[in-house]
């Protein structure tokens, strides 16, 4: 059987955050199926129809955004029903926007970004497409202070920090990832979205779903949380956040520090969860994750050769990158320099069997 299947990529939370979702080389664009409607730019079919837009050249013609690096942190596992990569080099996302559900397809061809969106929230997604692809991020603000980071930064010129402008879609899966293995969290997200979400609008790939709205999250029965492997504490945290969804979503327009304070007012949301959320929803380049099981040791090993580094020592090592500490941490994870494993992987649990 050796060689029949490709090696499985490690999937700890930290490697997924810093990792690269493989996106195939972009194929030639197919011809427009409706010649009478003209080129696929800035067209619409009413509030729920398709809207296509080609925003023109990417921010950096020499180094356009790498979709796998930029949008990769938004994928919650290879079977995430809200995220899909297709062989033509397109990335598909199903989101619940303030205007309703929507599906987005985005690809980069010849340095230009092509996007299509369907559903009531399509205009909202297209308006915020530049921020999603890192237009508000400034990679030139990062100045490497270590040889490892300089080399990784040079090898990953397409890395941009995304800003979704949506809080709950990052907050809820982050809560599901609290103190469990990655596989357990991904399974819970997949089961709950497929059962309580709705099919993605438009010609989305089969199996894609939009996550449930805030009210639906609050109405999920306790036994369904249990079947998904989610304990009462995490389920209660999600319900509390969903009940004040409007206040949570306001954090997307706040300064990162204020946004984290807003999120942490909810019992069950601490520094780890708020940082994981704000990194995605606000594109916060300086919000480094603390309280992680693996990240301090990885940063310590990469920068100082010390795998026993704790949060305090990690922040001290990242101090030269003030303002860009999250980018520095992602580059460390992308470098692949991690301490050698000393123990077997943590055995995944499944409380649904109890």
């Amino acid at each position: 059987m050796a060689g029949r299947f490709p090696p499985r990529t490690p999937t700890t939370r930290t490697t997924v955050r810093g990792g690269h979702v493989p996106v195939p080389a972009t194929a030639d664009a197919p011809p427009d199926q409706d010649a009478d409607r003209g080129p696929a730019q800035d067209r619409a079919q009413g509030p729920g129809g398709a809207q296509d837009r080609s925003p023109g050249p990417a921010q950096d013609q020499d180094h356009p955004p790498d979709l796998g690096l930029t949008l990769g942190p938004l994928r919650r596992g290879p079977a995430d029903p809200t995220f899909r990569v297709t062989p033509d080099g397109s990335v598909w996302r199903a989101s619940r926007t303030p205007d309703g559900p929507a599906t987005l397809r985005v690809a980069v061809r010849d340095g230009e970004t092509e996007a299509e969106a369907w559903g009531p929230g399509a205009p909202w997604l297209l308006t915020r497409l530049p921020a999603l692809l890192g237009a508000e991020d400034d990679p030139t603000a990062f100045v490497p202070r270590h040889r490892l980071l300089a080399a990784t930064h040079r090898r990953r010129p397409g890395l941009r920090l995304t800003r979704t402008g949506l809080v709950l879609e990052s907050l809820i899966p982050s809560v599901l990832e609290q103190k469990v293995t990655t596989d357990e969290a991904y399974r819970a997200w997949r089961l709950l979205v497929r059962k309580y979400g709705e099919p993605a609008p438009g010609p989305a790939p089969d199996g894609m779903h939009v996550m449930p709205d805030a009210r639906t999250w609050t109405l999920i029965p306790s036994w369904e949380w249990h079947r998904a492997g989610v304990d009462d504490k995490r389920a209660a945290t999600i319900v509390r956040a969903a009940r004040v969804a409007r206040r949570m979503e306001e954090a997307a327009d706040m300064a990162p520090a204020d946004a984290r304070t807003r999120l942490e007012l909810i019992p069950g949301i601490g520094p780890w969860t708020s940082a994981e959320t704000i990194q995605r929803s606000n594109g916060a380049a300086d919000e480094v994750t603390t309280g992680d099981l693996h990240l301090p040791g990885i940063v310590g090993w990469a920068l100082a050769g010390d795998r026993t580094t704790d949060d305090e020592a990690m922040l001290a090592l990242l101090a030269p990158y003030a303002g860009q500490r999250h980018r520095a941490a992602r580059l460390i994870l992308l470098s692949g320099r991690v301490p050698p494993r000393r123990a077997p992987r943590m055995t995944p649990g499944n409380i649904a069997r109890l």
Side-chain angles (χ1 to χ4, degrees):
M1 299 295 288
R4 181 175 177 182
F5 300 104
R8 185 177 179 182
T9 303
T11 54
T12 63
R13 285 195 299 260
T14 46
T15 54
V16 170
R17 278 202 310 272
H20 182 200
V21 174
V23 176
T26 307
D28 292 337
D32 194 350
Q33 298 298 321
D34 191 346
D36 293 337
R37 294 167 57 194
Q41 295 187 16
D42 298 314
R43 71 189 184 205
Q45 293 182 335
Q51 296 196 10
D52 303 17
R53 184 175 67 180
S54 180
Q59 301 95 309
D60 185 344
Q61 282 281 37
D62 296 328
H63 304 297
D66 185 315
L67 295 183
L69 287 171
T70 303
L71 302 181
L74 303 179
R75 188 182 75 161
R76 306 292 180 159
D80 184 351
T82 69
F83 192 106
R84 195 69 53 84
V85 177
T86 51
D88 66 348
S90 298
V91 175
W92 294 75
R93 291 193 67 236
S95 297
R96 184 167 295 280
T97 74
D99 297 334
T103 302
L104 174 70
R105 183 197 70 84
V106 61
V108 175
R109 304 178 192 274
D110 300 325
E112 292 190 357
T113 304
E114 299 180 355
E116 298 177 276
W118 297 264
W124 192 96
L125 281 181
L126 290 174
T127 299
R128 287 156 180 79
L129 179 65
L132 183 72
L133 298 182
E136 299 179 8
D137 179 39
D138 182 13
T140 62
F142 179 78
V143 180
R145 306 289 183 179
H146 297 82
R147 183 176 299 175
L148 175 70
L149 289 180
T152 308
H153 187 53
R154 185 172 60 252
R155 291 197 305 267
R156 305 285 188 171
L159 173 63
R160 303 289 186 274
L161 300 183
T162 185
R163 179 173 185 173
T164 67
L166 298 170
V167 174
L168 279 189
E169 76 167 21
S170 293
L171 175 62
I172 291 175
S174 294
V175 173
L176 292 175
E177 292 177 2
Q178 291 176 353
K179 299 182 179 180
V180 296
T181 64
T182 306
D183 289 342
E184 291 175 84
Y186 289 165
R187 174 181 177 272
W189 173 250
R190 182 172 66 250
L191 293 178
L192 292 170
V193 171
R194 286 178 177 173
K195 187 175 182 66
Y196 292 100
E198 58 188 274
D206 292 341
M208 288 197 69
H209 283 69
V210 179
M211 79 169 201
D213 59 24
R215 184 173 185 274
T216 302
W217 284 111
T218 66
L219 297 177
I220 296 177
S222 59
W223 57 87
E224 292 293 350
W225 290 108
H226 185 81
R227 287 176 180 173
V230 183
D231 58 81
D232 292 342
K233 183 176 180 180
R234 286 181 292 153
T237 300
I238 292 173
V239 170
R240 283 192 290 264
R243 284 175 176 167
V244 290
R246 183 179 62 84
R247 300 288 286 170
M248 293 291 97
E249 294 295 350
E250 290 175 356
D253 297 321
M254 296 179 176
D258 296 334
R260 293 187 62 176
T261 300
R262 170 69 62 87
L263 267 57
E264 291 174 20
L265 291 174
I266 303 296
I269 297 178
W272 186 91
T273 306
S274 66
E276 289 288 299
T277 303
I278 298 305
Q279 288 166 2
R280 296 167 171 86
S281 63
N282 294 45
D286 195 47
E287 296 301 318
V288 63
T289 303
T290 57
D292 193 271
L293 179 62
H294 305 286
L295 186 60
I298 293 174
V299 172
W301 179 262
L303 300 185
D306 182 8
R307 65 183 306 158
T308 64
T309 302
D310 57 12
D311 280 339
E312 183 178 358
M314 176 184 69
L315 294 176
L317 288 171
L318 294 176
Y321 302 102
Q324 295 283 317
R325 293 179 299 173
H326 172 48
R327 188 191 305 276
R330 280 203 65 191
L331 288 171
I332 290 172
L333 295 169
L334 288 167
S335 74
R337 184 170 182 177
V338 298
R341 188 176 297 278
R342 295 191 299 184
R345 291 183 180 275
M346 180 179 176
T347 303
N350 186 0
I351 65 172
R353 298 176 180 175
L354 301 178

